[in-house]
Amino acid sequence: MLTGMICVMGERDLDWVGDRVVEPIVSSVFTEEERRGLCVSLIWGLELRAGDGGAWEETARRDGTLWWVWVKFKLRPSGEVAQWRLCAAGELDDLDVVRQAAFDLGGWVEDWFCETSVGWGQQRHAQIPSLTEE
C-alpha cells in the first residue's frame, strides 16, 4: 500500500516510518475495502505543490536544505488528494518526536477521512502505534 519516491536520506527510514507509523494509523481508520482505493506515498522533500491537473510534484533540492518527511494520500476513483508534513528527516532518530508526529498524523487522518467522499460525515478514531526502542 505504501510507496516511497526517490529520496536523499535512506529508503530504510521511509520503510520504517511507513510500517511502524503510517500503516497502523491508516489501517485503523480505513477499512480493508476502503484501502483498496487509497494510495499512500512517503516522500522526502522540502515542499509539495499542486501541479497541472492536480498532480503532486516533489520540489525538493539536494543542496543540504532541511528535508521533511511527507505523507501523501490519494483516493481513487474520486482523485481526492491530501498531504501531511510528518516531521523533519533529521528527527527520525528521536523517538519522542516520532511519537508526537504519529499522534498528530492520527488526528489529521481522522479529520481528513470524514471530509472525503468515502467517509463523508463518519467519525473514526485512529489507533496511534506504541513506538518502542528496538
Side-chain angles (χ1 to χ4, degrees):
M1 178 174 85
L2 300 176
T3 58
M5 298 182 85
I6 295 174
C7 64
V8 171
M9 300 310 228
E11 214 170 296
R12 285 186 311 191
D13 295 327
L14 284 181
D15 290 344
W16 185 87
V17 170
D19 293 345
R20 300 283 308 276
V21 176
V22 179
E23 179 69 33
I25 290 171
V26 169
S27 294
S28 69
V29 174
F30 290 83
T31 67
E32 184 176 338
E33 183 178 333
E34 292 163 347
R35 287 192 311 271
R36 285 189 208 116
L38 178 65
C39 178
V40 180
S41 300
L42 293 171
I43 304 165
W44 297 110
L46 297 174
E47 294 293 336
L48 293 178
R49 63 180 172 82
D52 294 334
W56 288 92
E57 302 171 5
E58 184 177 2
T59 61
R61 301 184 310 257
R62 296 175 183 259
D63 64 0
T65 307
L66 180 64
W67 286 77
W68 295 91
V69 177
W70 288 87
V71 185
K72 183 178 93 170
F73 299 84
K74 182 173 184 177
L75 277 172
R76 294 175 296 232
S78 68
E80 295 167 85
V81 177
Q83 77 284 338
W84 179 259
R85 190 171 72 181
L86 190 64
C87 66
E91 296 175 324
L92 288 176
D93 59 352
D94 185 336
L95 206 49
D96 290 333
V97 170
V98 176
R99 282 186 190 113
Q100 182 62 51
F103 179 81
D104 295 341
L105 175 66
W108 178 84
V109 169
E110 290 174 359
D111 293 343
W112 180 66
F113 174 80
C114 71
E115 296 175 4
T116 65
S117 59
V118 170
W120 182 252
Q122 297 178 45
Q123 184 176 14
R124 297 198 187 159
H125 297 286
Q127 293 179 5
I128 309 305
S130 60
L131 301 171
T132 57
E133 298 284 338
E134 293 182 352

